[in-house]
Amino acid sequence: MRKVGLGLVVAIVALSAASPSRAHADTVTPACSAAPTDCSGPWYTSPVDLSWTFDPDPPDSTSPGCDPQTINETTSSGQSVTCTATWGADPPVDGNVTIKVDTTNPTVDGANAGRSADSNGWFNHTVSFDFFGSDTPSGISSCSSGVSYSGPDSATASVDGTCTDVAGNTGDGSQTFKYDATAPTVTSGTPKSGPDGTNGWYVTPPTYDFSGTDNLSGIDTCPSVTYAGGDSATASVTGVCHDNAGNDSAGLVMNFKYDHTAPETTGSALDRGPDLNGWYNHPVAVNFTGTDATSGVGSPCGSVTYSGPDGPAVQASGSCTDLAGNVDLSPLASPAFAYDSTGPAVSGVPDRPPDSGGWYNHPVSFSFQGADDASGVSSCSSNVVYGGPDSASAAVGGSCQDVAGNMGSGSAPLRYDHTPPTVLGALPDRLPDHNGWFNHPVRLAFQGVDSLSGGVACSHYTYTGDQNAHTLVSGTCTDAAGNSATASFAMRYDATPPAAPQAVTTPQNAKVLVTWTKPADATRVRVTRSRGKRTKVVYAGKGTSFLDRHLRNGKHYMYTVTVFDQAGNRTSTAVPGSPTALSLRPLPGTVVSLPPKLTWKRVRRARYYNLQLYLGKTKVLSTWPRKSSFQLPPSWTYGGHDYSFVAGPYTWYVWPGIGPRSKNRYGHLLGKSSFTVLG
């Protein structure tokens, strides 16, 4: 701390130089405001007021250094002051003084530990510190030393110290550091792998990884530990963790079971008695007994299942396994026993040969026999009957039993076909004559198939007539196994031509209309036109009329209408026809079967026409069409009577109407014609 001194006034007495007239010497004396007041102190810790005293006082003159002044902080060598006083003619007298002032506390720069940190810059047990500092101008006199620290733990622990300078000022300071004297905690131990034996036992030394916590410096390492001891049901390893300050944990003990030593096999026995006649005929377990000093053995401690080979004196070898999973590597043989798990070989023999071609076509009986190389055969199946299903690879199964009780099965192969062949149809020796129909005798070869024994042979047949379109023909087929089948098939045969058509020609202007009737069994029609030696087909189809155009009026033509049935049989009718230029249609004498369309020559000034129709001598219709044609309807009403288009001779007349119909003015008769309606 800075020390403040008392201000003292120093009287400086300037003593005159000795002169012959004076009895004493002149003096100049300094005075300080802080002790020592005579200004003899080595250092002052507060500002000093400097003054001078003179003897005698006052002097005649003084130098500027004789003025009172305050001296603050100085250099390390202090501040020198000189005061000169003069009395009369006496020589000047000097007063000299050096004053050192240090008002500033020293600085504590730090502290040096008495030893190095224990680990990673951390201290983990008691440590002492020596402080050091700096000071201007007086310099350091002393600092605290041997300052000891032993806790508490802290990442910012600190100790306090002081330094004192030569002038007596004191400064405070501290030193921080890391201190951790507390050991970490081991929190867990984990094996690198689970028990490699059985029932929780290790059979090879386990290695444990440890982990821990430290609340201050933190964990540095927790080394893994591998077990290095002997067999024990209470084996253990201890884990230790190191923190960054170098502290070690107290440790964590992990217990486990360890057994590395194999057991000893001492005996064996079969787990059951023989199956039949002193023989074992299916796998049997052989159990082994033994001892183990650490983990112990089960009961049994080992077991093997014997499943072959067969023999009258066989043995099984095995050894014990302790509860930790160690296996005795010196197997022990069991007592000898008889073992036969293989059934006898079985074969079958039929009581008769196949029926036909190596095939059976009705039930056959088999007897079986066997052979056994170990215990021998005791009995076999007999009189096993096979009666189906059909198969090219059928088999009859049978069995035999050996002395040890094993059953053996076998089969006898056979080909069995009890099913007759399928008669597919009759194949003609030629193609149908027309549209799938035959119209004259044909030879038929029957065809059959058999999906199993095959080798089908079938009959032949010549069909010579029957007008029924669904005539049935029958045939027989026999397969390789001797089975036969008969079947009937329909065929289309028609040798009778259709009835002759009725044909009529109606002449028209440069045309001839040919109409005809079509018999019920006719499916198509052909019309030819002949004149002289020239013949031409003018129509082919299914209709009942044809209009032949582009003819020469007045020429005579012969039309032949031929009808065909679906079997290709035909019948023809010939009729003559001559076109004409007459205007009324149909022409006189025309025969029709449907109501005709009546047409006539158009009159230039006619606004309508009057058409009258007679059936025989009875007038049945009078109508007034505006056009030069009229289509007769199937039925109509006239004069209060209903009429219909019926068979008979018809005559019709037509007149042109002039002017309004109300005037009832008609021109000359345009024409008269007739037609006949067939029944």
Side-chain angles (χ1 to χ4, degrees):
M1 298 177 65
R2 182 178 298 276
K3 296 181 179 179
V4 180
L6 298 176
L8 299 179
V9 177
V10 179
I12 303 175
V13 180
L15 299 181
S16 302
S19 65
S21 62
R22 283 187 170 279
H24 59 85
D26 299 328
T27 60
V28 179
T29 304
C32 288
S33 61
T37 58
D38 59 357
C39 299
S40 62
W43 286 90
Y44 290 93
T45 58
S46 62
V48 175
D49 293 331
L50 174 63
S51 62
W52 298 88
T53 60
F54 306 96
D55 188 20
D57 186 29
D60 292 338
S61 63
T62 58
S63 64
C66 296
D67 296 331
Q69 59 181 297
T70 299
I71 299 174
N72 293 311
E73 199 153 329
T74 65
T75 64
S76 60
S77 59
Q79 182 175 335
S80 295
V81 181
T82 300
C83 174
T84 302
T86 304
W87 288 269
D90 292 336
V93 176
D94 295 328
N96 295 308
V97 68
T98 298
I99 297 177
K100 297 180 180 180
V101 178
D102 183 358
T103 62
T104 304
N105 292 334
T107 299
V108 179
D109 294 327
N112 293 318
R115 59 182 177 83
S116 300
D118 296 288
S119 178
N120 299 314
W122 288 79
F123 293 94
N124 63 24
H125 62 282
T126 302
V127 58
S128 62
F129 290 86
D130 295 330
F131 284 85
F132 58 90
S134 59
D135 184 81
T136 301
S138 63
I140 293 296
S141 171
S142 65
C143 292
S144 301
S145 64
V147 180
S148 178
Y149 187 90
S150 58
D153 294 349
S154 175
T156 57
S158 66
V159 291
D160 297 328
T162 63
C163 285
T164 303
D165 60 17
V166 174
N169 298 302
T170 300
D172 299 326
S174 64
Q175 177 67 42
T176 60
F177 53 94
K178 297 187 292 183
Y179 189 88
D180 183 3
T182 304
T185 301
V186 183
T187 57
S188 66
T190 305
K192 285 185 177 296
S193 61
D196 54 351
T198 56
N199 301 309
W201 286 80
Y202 285 94
V203 296
T204 57
T207 297
Y208 278 78
D209 290 332
F210 288 89
S211 60
T213 59
D214 187 87
N215 295 329
L216 193 56
S217 60
I219 294 296
D220 183 15
T221 60
C222 295
S224 298
V225 180
T226 300
Y227 182 69
D231 295 349
S232 174
T234 58
S236 66
V237 293
T238 300
V240 176
C241 287
H242 308 279
D243 64 15
N244 286 308
N247 301 297
D248 296 335
S249 63
L252 177 67
V253 177
M254 302 301 297
N255 296 311
F256 53 90
K257 299 185 293 182
Y258 181 81
D259 183 0
H260 184 65
T261 305
E264 180 183 0
T265 306
T266 58
S268 65
L270 278 69
D271 71 342
R272 61 182 176 84
D275 296 292
L276 185 67
N277 298 322
W279 288 79
Y280 290 90
N281 62 23
H282 64 281
V284 57
V286 180
N287 298 325
F288 294 87
T289 57
T291 61
D292 185 84
T294 304
S295 59
V297 295
S299 180
C301 58
S303 180
V304 296
T305 299
Y306 187 88
S307 58
D310 298 343
V314 298
Q315 288 180 294
S317 295
S319 59
C320 279
T321 300
D322 64 18
L323 297 179
N326 298 296
V327 180
D328 185 1
L329 299 181
S330 299
L332 183 69
S334 71
F337 56 93
Y339 187 86
D340 181 4
S341 64
T342 305
V346 180
S347 60
V349 179
D351 65 351
R352 62 181 177 83
D355 297 292
S356 175
W359 290 80
Y360 291 92
N361 61 24
H362 64 281
V364 55
S365 178
F366 284 81
S367 297
F368 288 85
Q369 56 192 15
D372 188 88
D373 294 334
S375 59
V377 175
S378 63
S379 62
C380 292
S381 303
S382 61
N383 296 322
V384 180
V385 177
Y386 187 89
D390 293 352
S391 175
S393 57
V396 180
S399 62
C400 292
Q401 180 174 324
D402 62 16
V403 175
N406 299 297
M407 296 297 295
S409 60
S411 62
L414 72 153
R415 296 191 296 172
Y416 191 88
D417 184 1
H418 182 67
T419 304
T422 300
V423 183
L424 299 177
L427 183 66
D429 61 355
R430 59 184 173 81
L431 295 175
D433 297 291
H434 183 77
N435 197 29
W437 288 77
F438 294 94
N439 57 29
H440 62 281
V442 57
R443 178 176 173 80
L444 303 174
F446 284 85
Q447 304 292 314
V449 65
D450 188 89
S451 60
L452 195 57
S453 59
V456 177
C458 299
S459 60
H460 293 76
Y461 176 73
T462 299
Y463 186 78
T464 59
D466 185 336
Q467 307 311 316
N468 190 335
H470 301 287
T471 297
L472 295 178
V473 293
S474 299
T476 301
C477 292
T478 303
D479 63 18
N483 302 296
S484 296
T486 299
S488 298
F489 301 92
M491 68 174 294
R492 294 192 292 179
Y493 187 94
D494 183 2
T496 304
Q502 297 180 9
V504 176
T505 59
T506 301
Q508 296 184 16
N509 186 15
K511 305 173 186 176
V512 172
L513 176 65
V514 184
T515 58
W516 58 86
T517 59
K518 190 168 69 172
D521 58 345
T523 59
R524 60 191 178 92
V525 180
R526 184 180 67 196
V527 179
T528 61
R529 182 186 65 219
S530 301
R531 185 169 181 268
K533 295 182 178 181
R534 299 179 62 183
T535 301
K536 180 181 180 180
V537 177
V538 293
Y539 174 83
K542 298 181 179 180
T544 58
S545 65
F546 168 69
L547 180 61
D548 193 12
R549 304 172 184 271
H550 309 298
L551 302 178
R552 296 178 64 183
N553 291 329
K555 297 297 182 181
H556 297 284
Y557 299 92
M558 181 61 69
Y559 291 91
T560 302
V561 179
T562 304
V563 292
F564 299 83
D565 63 16
Q566 58 185 350
N569 301 298
R570 69 184 69 181
T571 303
S572 300
T573 298
V575 292
S578 297
T580 178
L582 293 177
S583 63
L584 272 63
R585 297 288 187 274
L587 293 172
T590 300
V591 178
V592 299
S593 58
L594 297 174
K597 182 177 183 180
L598 309 180
T599 63
W600 52 89
K601 185 178 180 180
R602 179 175 177 275
V603 176
R604 180 176 173 184
R605 292 188 302 161
R607 296 177 64 180
Y608 60 94
Y609 300 90
N610 178 235
L611 172 67
Q612 297 182 17
L613 178 67
Y614 291 82
L615 175 58
K617 295 182 178 182
T618 302
K619 186 177 181 179
V620 295
L621 175 64
S622 181
T623 185
W624 291 266
R626 291 183 176 276
K627 297 181 179 180
S628 59
S629 64
F630 179 76
Q631 174 65 54
L632 285 179
S635 61
W636 63 90
T637 300
Y638 172 71
H641 298 283
D642 293 330
Y643 296 95
S644 61
F645 191 71
V646 298
Y650 288 82
T651 303
W652 58 282
Y653 305 86
V654 63
W655 291 268
I658 307 302
R661 182 180 170 188
S662 60
K663 298 294 185 178
N664 200 25
R665 293 178 58 200
Y666 295 95
H668 296 291
L669 178 67
L670 292 179
K672 168 188 175 184
S673 186
S674 63
F675 59 87
T676 301
V677 177
L678 296 178

